[in-house]
């Protein structure tokens, strides 16, 4: 539980705690044809694209991992709604990386997205809970408490996200209660392609646990 606290302290000692933006990594201003530079229209204005936004989401999540703050997701939710479907899910899930290991504060920020009207946002939040809790042992078991209902629920995308989130949260723990939750999903014989995907992700999560 002290993992986040110690990580932040080291970051402060190294003076690397200030949030970085994807542009700080791309440095596309140094080259007009940079590999990650966004396309520009004839007026020179930047044109957002789903692919560019998705790339920025991942870069932002990794470069600010564990620092607890960034310039895209933690100030407000505006960036989240610049994405669609799986891009939106990835943006919500990226909060788990930014807030990595800080379970108490992280859950406070992520919780509201679990009740979103957008299924992809809810699924991203479920993944964020798993990422946030990775490697952290907490007596309250928040990841299991929040994700178990979705593993047993009817929503396909939530079931996939919850299974994956549990695999990440409890990787290497060999927790029998988590395994018992995942096994019925693997053993299901109905559902067609969606059921197969659920079983596959539950199997992957079981292997991680």
């Amino acid at each position: 539980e002290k993992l986040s606290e110690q990580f932040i302290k080291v970051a402060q000692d190294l003076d690397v705690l200030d949030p970085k933006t994807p542009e700080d990594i791309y440095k596309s201003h140094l080259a007009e044809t940079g590999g990650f530079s966004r396309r520009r229209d004839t007026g020179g204005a930047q044109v957002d694209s789903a692919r560019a936004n998705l790339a920025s989401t991942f870069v932002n999540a990794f470069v600010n991992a564990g620092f607890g703050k960034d310039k895209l997701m933690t100030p407000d939710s505006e960036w989240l709604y610049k994405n669609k479907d799986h891009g939106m899910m990835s943006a919500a899930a990226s909060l788990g990386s930014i807030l990595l290991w800080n379970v108490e504060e992280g859950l406070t920020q992520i919780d509201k997205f679990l009740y979103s009207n957008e299924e992809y946002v809810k699924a991203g939040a479920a993944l964020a809970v798993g990422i946030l809790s990775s490697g952290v042992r907490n007596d309250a078991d928040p990841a299991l408490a929040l994700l178990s209902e979705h593993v047993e629920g009817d929503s396909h995308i939530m079931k996939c996200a919850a299974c994956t989130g549990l695999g990440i949260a409890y990787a290497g723990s060999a927790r029998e209660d988590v395994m018992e939750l995942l096994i019925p999903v693997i053993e299901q014989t109905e559902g067609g392609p969606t059921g197969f995907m659920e079983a596959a992700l539950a199997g992957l999560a079981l292997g991680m646990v």
Side-chain angles (χ1 to χ4, degrees), residues 9-10 12 42 62 69 73 78 86 92 95 99 117 120 125 128 131-133 171 177 195 203 206 209:
K9 188 176 186 307
V10 171
Q12 287 174 332
T42 52
F62 286 123
K69 55 186 178 180
M73 285 298 298
E78 187 179 340
H86 289 93
L95 279 171
L99 300 162
N117 292 325
Y120 284 99
I131 296 168
L132 171 77
S133 308
D177 51 350
L206 184 63
V209 174

Side-chain angles (χ1 to χ4, degrees), residues 88-172:
M88 194 177 276
M89 182 167 67
S90 297
S94 73
L95 279 171
S97 177
I98 296 162
L99 300 162
L100 189 64
W101 303 319
N102 190 348
V103 176
E104 288 187 13
E105 286 186 28
L107 286 176
T108 301
Q109 294 198 45
I110 294 167
D111 185 65
K112 61 185 176 184
F113 296 115
L114 284 169
Y115 302 97
S116 170
N117 292 325
E118 292 276 357
E119 281 285 286
Y120 284 99
V121 174
K122 288 172 66 176
L127 281 170
V129 170
I131 296 168
L132 171 77
S133 308
S134 175
V136 177
R137 298 295 169 255
N138 188 305
D139 291 338
D141 258 350
L144 185 60
L146 290 168
L147 300 180
S148 58
E149 64 177 286
H150 299 297
V151 173
E152 297 168 336
D154 297 324
S155 169
H156 165 65
I157 191 170
M158 287 302 296
K159 186 173 286 192
C160 289
C163 288
T164 306
L166 285 172
I168 295 169
Y170 295 100

